[in-house]
Amino acid sequence: MVGGLETPPYELQEARRQRDFGSPEDAGMPETDAADETSEKSVDDESVMIDVMASEDVEALASQYRARIQKALAAAVGNLVGRGYSRVAMAGVGRAAGHVTHAATASGGQDVSALVWIAPVFDQSDSKALAESLGESGALKVLELYSARSSLDAGGATQRSPKQREAAFRRAGIAGYSRQPVAMAEQPQPREAQALTNRVSAWLASER
């Protein structure tokens, strides 16, 4: 079963962009007067946008959005279980990895036996809570597929790298996690779907 997640509300997209907004030095901008003027104007524009979004209660919008996604995913899992599937695996691409993880761990891993993260992007709070969530779900198996072009150590303040995630899970005593590099773009493209499907199918077969 394949499903597409609804697009986040505009305010949430802007909030994410604000959170990831860096300084001119971080963005690699040249140190010139023109660049400084552009930077100052950008900061002013960003400040105005932050004030506007705060009045719209972005966190409430985020909670409502997550709730709608979880309801849709729970319905999908229930449909598969009702049709007699004894093993249900959930796969998420990019930010969807966080949503499928929430859905899989919500029932303690009873309905979902495996997770596949494809080039995952986790919210900061989700990234920090992954080890705890997976530990509470019992024997849930997790496969992370990431681009072979990305650095294993290229984590940041809000995103851990695959290598860092593996180390954190090992410290937490989680044995069901594995990672595999794939010859794909850092953001998977449609042309890579078949290769990813084959990799996921092979892993699921090996976990029987």
Side-chain angles (χ1 to χ4, degrees):
M1 181 182 294
V2 178
L5 302 185
E6 66 174 272
T7 303
Y10 173 77
E11 291 84 356
L12 294 188
Q13 297 180 50
E14 284 298 306
R16 288 172 179 171
R17 188 173 68 83
Q18 294 296 332
R19 182 189 58 207
D20 297 335
F21 180 74
S23 67
E25 291 78 7
D26 293 337
M29 293 177 62
E31 295 182 359
T32 65
D33 292 340
D36 291 340
E37 291 174 3
T38 302
S39 174
E40 290 173 3
K41 184 177 184 300
S42 297
V43 171
D44 290 341
D45 291 344
E46 299 300 333
S47 298
V48 171
M49 183 60 72
I50 289 172
D51 291 341
V52 172
M53 287 191 297
S55 68
E56 296 294 334
D57 195 355
V58 175
E59 186 53 43
L61 286 175
S63 297
Q64 294 166 11
Y65 173 70
R66 287 192 294 265
R68 291 195 300 271
I69 295 299
Q70 290 304 302
K71 183 178 179 179
L73 292 176
V77 172
N79 179 278
L80 293 173
V81 172
R83 288 160 57 185
Y85 285 93
S86 58
R87 297 178 68 236
V88 174
M90 302 184 76
V93 181
R95 289 190 179 277
H99 292 295
V100 297
T101 301
H102 277 294
T105 57
S107 61
Q110 296 178 2
D111 294 329
V112 180
S113 60
L115 277 173
V116 180
W117 299 335
I118 302 174
V121 177
F122 297 103
D123 289 336
Q124 185 173 8
S125 58
D126 291 340
S127 181
K128 293 180 178 179
L130 280 176
E132 181 180 355
S133 297
L134 294 178
E136 293 175 351
S137 66
L140 188 66
K141 301 291 185 181
V142 180
L143 170 66
E144 177 171 354
L145 300 179
Y146 59 94
S147 172
R149 304 174 189 175
S150 62
S151 171
L152 275 178
D153 298 302
T158 61
Q159 289 293 318
R160 286 177 170 174
S161 68
K163 186 175 181 179
Q164 290 170 334
R165 266 191 287 275
E166 183 179 49
F169 294 155
R170 188 182 299 115
R171 290 193 297 270
I174 297 172
Y177 170 85
S178 60
R179 55 179 172 85
Q180 297 179 16
V182 180
M184 65 179 183
E186 292 197 16
Q187 293 185 343
Q189 302 299 307
R191 64 178 179 274
E192 296 156 344
Q194 188 60 56
L196 289 168
T197 299
N198 292 340
R199 186 68 68 93
V200 171
S201 296
W203 178 75
L204 289 174
S206 70
E207 293 295 325
R208 290 184 182 279

